[in-house]
Amino acid sequence: VYDLILPSIEYDIKINLVNSEYLDKILENACKKTSSGGYSAKTYLSIAFKDAVRNGYISINPVSKTKIYYRPKPNIVVYNKEELKIFLSEARKTNWYLEILLGLFCGLRKGEITGLQFNDFNLDNHTVSIERQIATDANTRKGTSELIDRKQVVKQLKTPNSYRTIKVPNVIVNELKERKIKYEDLKNSYQGDFIDDGFISCQENGDAHNLSSINTALIKISKRTNLKRVTVHGLRHMFATILLEQGVTLPKISAILGHSSIHTTFEYYCEIMDEENKILAFLNNEFSVGEI
């Protein structure tokens, strides 16, 4: 919004006067900034104008008649079993092991991991409920697109399908119990200065970790192990690959990942369904069948 859309708005008009031609010019400008600019800008404009229709400000969504921009082909990095063994061995040495496991074994998004609280887990049933996310909220100077500051806030999830309850393996349950002990130690140490919001991924004062921190940790692990760079979203791709190897259907994978539709799932993973690098066998040997 702040990088692609607002800078491209040359003049403001009332929302009921906005038409597809006006929006096409904004999308065309967004395309000049990045290869994915048109797709990304249209996605956010569509969300905004759908809300405007829902709230009765306008009767027709003008974004529906704008030029079509296709999603850029994702660059999916999937480690083979030997690479994954090296990766997890190094990850165990960091303070981010639990977050990494949640990405790899549950397919959670970065904001979903950061937004998890201890009470979202049912340890008896081995499940976790995804109820919120941490996102960045930017403030601009009134009447302009000039950025004043950015801050992290707790927000609702991206789509209704993003609210879901999924199974977690034993290895995550065990790591979560250890993380809870560390959390209570920090709480006792900081006492009244501790922010007791129950975030499983928090700083020493209890406040949620910065969104970029997990990817920063992953970059360091990749460098130390000489592996291809992977992000939290990359772990999410690996999780989907594991499910594909187990023969899980696309509708089921789509529901577990919290995709808005099965079309999104197919678009991402149709090309890796026949991959020969099987990592499930390693995971079964590394932990145990009961933990996956």
Side-chain angles (χ1 to χ4, degrees):
V1 173
Y2 296 94
D3 296 331
L4 297 175
I5 298 175
L6 291 181
S8 300
I9 297 179
E10 297 179 2
Y11 58 92
D12 293 334
I13 61 177
K14 291 185 177 180
I15 192 170
N16 62 324
L17 298 178
V18 173
N19 56 30
S20 58
E21 290 80 9
Y22 176 85
L23 295 177
D24 271 327
K25 291 181 179 179
I26 294 175
L27 296 174
E28 185 178 345
N29 288 334
C31 278
K32 297 175 183 177
K33 297 192 173 187
T34 172
S35 59
S36 61
Y39 177 85
S40 298
K42 184 167 181 175
T43 298
Y44 285 102
L45 283 172
S46 180
I47 293 172
F49 278 93
K50 281 180 181 178
D51 284 343
V53 172
R54 189 181 302 113
N55 293 323
Y57 295 115
I58 54 177
S59 58
I60 299 175
N61 184 352
V63 181
S64 62
K65 294 184 178 181
T66 57
K67 179 181 176 180
I68 296 175
Y69 292 89
Y70 294 99
R71 180 196 299 269
K73 183 179 178 180
N75 181 22
I76 299 177
V77 174
V78 177
Y79 292 151
N80 60 36
K81 62 181 181 181
E82 292 303 323
E83 292 171 329
L84 191 57
K85 181 177 181 178
I86 296 170
F87 171 78
L88 285 175
S89 177
E90 189 66 27
R92 281 194 185 97
K93 303 174 186 176
T94 73
N95 294 323
W96 297 95
Y97 192 45
L98 175 58
E99 288 84 350
I100 290 170
L101 292 176
L102 285 165
L104 182 60
F105 289 152
C106 297
L108 301 191
R109 301 177 177 95
K110 178 173 58 178
E112 293 172 344
I113 294 174
T114 312
L116 280 178
Q117 297 173 337
F118 287 102
N119 57 13
D120 293 325
F121 289 84
N122 186 320
L123 298 186
D124 293 330
N125 294 333
H126 281 212
T127 60
V128 59
S129 296
I130 318 304
E131 302 287 348
R132 74 196 68 78
Q133 66 173 329
I134 299 293
T136 301
D137 196 12
N139 294 322
T140 58
R141 196 172 302 281
K142 187 175 182 181
T144 72
S145 60
E146 180 185 350
L147 181 66
I148 298 176
D149 61 50
R150 296 177 186 268
K151 62 180 180 179
Q152 288 193 171
V153 295
V154 177
K155 284 191 174 183
Q156 295 179 335
L157 297 173
K158 293 176 64 175
T159 68
N161 289 345
S162 296
Y163 292 89
R164 59 206 190 276
T165 298
I166 56 180
K167 284 284 187 179
V168 296
N170 286 337
V171 62
I172 289 180
V173 172
N174 294 335
E175 286 297 319
L176 183 70
K177 290 177 180 178
E178 291 189 18
R179 181 66 60 87
K180 180 64 173 178
I181 294 173
K182 293 179 181 178
Y183 182 90
E184 293 298 331
D185 287 342
L186 287 172
K187 183 178 176 181
N188 292 332
S189 177
Y190 279 76
Q191 296 185 357
D193 295 326
F194 190 80
I195 303 172
D196 190 12
D197 289 334
F199 289 117
I200 68 163
S201 182
C202 68
Q203 304 173 50
E204 288 191 354
N205 67 348
D207 199 11
H209 267 130
N210 189 286
L211 276 172
S212 63
S213 298
I214 306 178
N215 279 337
T216 299
L218 288 170
I219 291 172
K220 292 179 179 178
I221 293 173
S222 299
K223 288 182 177 179
R224 288 197 296 266
T225 55
N226 292 318
L227 295 172
K228 290 181 180 178
R229 177 178 171 181
V230 67
T231 63
V232 177
H233 215 67
L235 298 179
R236 183 171 160 86
H237 290 320
M238 284 191 234
F239 171 69
T241 303
I242 293 170
L243 297 183
L244 286 169
E245 289 178 5
Q246 294 183 88
V248 179
T249 63
L250 279 183
K252 182 66 174 179
I253 294 175
S254 182
I256 293 173
L257 292 175
H259 280 163
S260 57
S261 72
I262 189 176
H263 300 291
T264 303
T265 314
F266 182 80
E267 195 172 4
Y268 269 104
Y269 303 112
C270 63
E271 293 186 2
I272 63 172
M273 289 181 188
D274 297 321
E275 282 286 339
E276 294 181 357
N277 290 334
K278 303 295 185 181
I279 61 177
L280 178 60
F282 160 70
L283 292 176
N284 284 336
N285 292 331
E286 180 71 5
F287 298 100
S288 74
V289 175
E291 292 184 349
I292 303 300

